[in-house]
């Protein structure tokens, strides 16, 4: 289990404030499936919240210690039925071996300015195409003599 300094713990609590729980531990406790899901979530996010249902405070404390020991994580906070857990992202086993070089492709991502310019060009092209269409019927002339056919 990883230990955190009080400053690190405080920073992680602040970062976790807006997070929603990603895993729920219910009556069956820490099953292998729940531990696998917690592993995935920690690998993806590093900092997660776990919701515990149907357990008293002492049971939640014991669950927090058991969970952190099982996934080699650090306990950050236990508030109510929510546990906050942190673990540094681990390197994948795939990248640990010799890496195969793939040919790099040019990036297709556009900046906001390029995206806006492309949208303007598309709007101008659409307006130009609509103006080239011949109207099905010419609009009636307006004015004083329009009603009498002059």
């Amino acid at each position: 289990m990883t230990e955190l300094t009080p400053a690190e713990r405080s920073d992680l609590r602040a970062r976790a404030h807006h997070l929603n729980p990603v895993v729920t531990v219910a009556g069956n406790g820490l099953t292998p499936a729940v531990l696998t899901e917690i592993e995935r979530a920690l690998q993806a996010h590093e900092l997660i919240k776990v919701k515990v249902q149907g357990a008293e405070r002492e049971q939640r404390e014991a669950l927090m210690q058991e969970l952190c020991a099982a996934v080699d994580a650090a306990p950050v906070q236990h508030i109510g039925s929510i546990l906050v857990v942190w673990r540094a992202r681990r390197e994948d086993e795939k990248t640990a071996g010799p890496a195969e070089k793939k040919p790099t492709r040019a990036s297709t991502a556009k900046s906001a300015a390029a995206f806006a310019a492309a949208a303007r060009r598309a709007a101008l092209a659409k307006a130009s195409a609509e103006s080239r269409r011949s109207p099905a019927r010419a609009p009636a002339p307006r004015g004083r003599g329009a009603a009498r056919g002059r």
Side-chain angles (χ1 to χ4, degrees), residues 68-126:
C68 289
V71 295
D72 192 32
V76 175
Q77 185 177 26
H78 167 214
I79 184 161
S81 63
I82 302 294
L83 311 176
V84 180
V85 180
W86 176 83
R87 184 187 72 201
R89 196 169 279 127
R90 294 183 178 162
E91 294 295 322
D92 292 336
E93 291 83 26
K94 297 174 190 173
T95 59
E100 296 178 20
K101 294 209 173 192
K102 293 183 181 180
T104 57
R105 294 182 359 194
S107 176
T108 58
K110 294 182 179 179
S111 67
F115 184 77
R120 282 193 298 273
R121 282 194 302 272
L124 287 172
K126 183 178 178 183

Side-chain angles (χ1 to χ4, degrees), residues 9-52:
R9 185 170 283 117
S10 176
D11 179 54
L12 290 170
R13 277 196 310 249
R15 285 178 36 202
H17 180 72
H18 73 281
L19 297 178
N20 292 324
V22 294
V23 178
T24 301
V25 178
N28 290 337
L30 287 177
T31 62
V34 171
L35 287 173
T36 302
E37 193 59 34
I38 291 172
E39 276 285 337
R40 284 186 193 135
L42 284 170
Q43 183 63 23
H45 304 289
E46 290 186 340
L47 181 66
I48 64 168
K49 283 185 178 178
V50 178
K51 183 171 182 131
V52 180

